[in-house]
Amino acid sequence: EGLEIDNYKTTLPLKKGLSSSAAICVLTARAFNKLYDLHLTTRGEMEYAYAGEILTPSRCGRLDQACAFGTTPVLMTYDGEFTSVEKIPITRKLYLVIVDLCAQKDTVKIL
């Protein structure tokens, strides 16, 4: 038994600095978690997603996997060794503005 992911409904723009590669890695970790009943927490899925992504040329950041929480806002702190995650209670509407600057992000060049 294996796993095939057909990611045909992606609406997250690629190469724009919005953690699209982390989102794919979290999707993959979550799919394995569900398919094989691994009992991973969201944090566990994040760890596997990060471990997988650092094997690619993507050069993801340590905080990119926050997308694993979906629409729940979280505060992530990285001390150089460990990442802590804390859900942020939102008592009012939260508005995000995402602007396309019509440019690409090159993580490898930035780092």
Side-chain angles (χ1 to χ4, degrees), residues 41-89:
T41 62
T42 302
R43 287 297 316 273
E45 292 171 346
M46 291 169 63
E47 289 301 316
Y48 278 103
Y50 176 75
E53 190 168 3
I54 61 173
L55 297 175
T56 73
S58 172
R59 301 280 187 112
C60 67
R62 193 66 176 118
L63 306 179
D64 292 352
Q65 294 73 30
C67 61
F69 286 92
T71 59
T72 303
V74 294
L75 170 65
M76 294 182 69
T77 308
Y78 180 60
D79 68 4
E81 189 173 349
F82 297 104
T83 305
S84 65
V85 179
E86 196 179 321
K87 290 183 181 179
I88 301 172

Side-chain angles (χ1 to χ4, degrees), residues 93-107:
K93 286 186 178 181
L94 178 66
Y95 298 95
L96 297 177
V97 177
I98 299 174
V99 178
D100 186 350
L101 299 176
C102 298
Q104 290 188 355
K105 179 187 88 82
D106 185 346
T107 306

Side-chain angles (χ1 to χ4, degrees), residues 32-49:
F32 273 100
N33 189 23
K34 301 281 185 200
L35 180 64
Y36 294 107
D37 200 23
L38 300 175
H39 304 286
L40 295 174
T41 62
T42 302
R43 287 297 316 273
E45 292 171 346
M46 291 169 63
E47 289 301 316
Y48 278 103

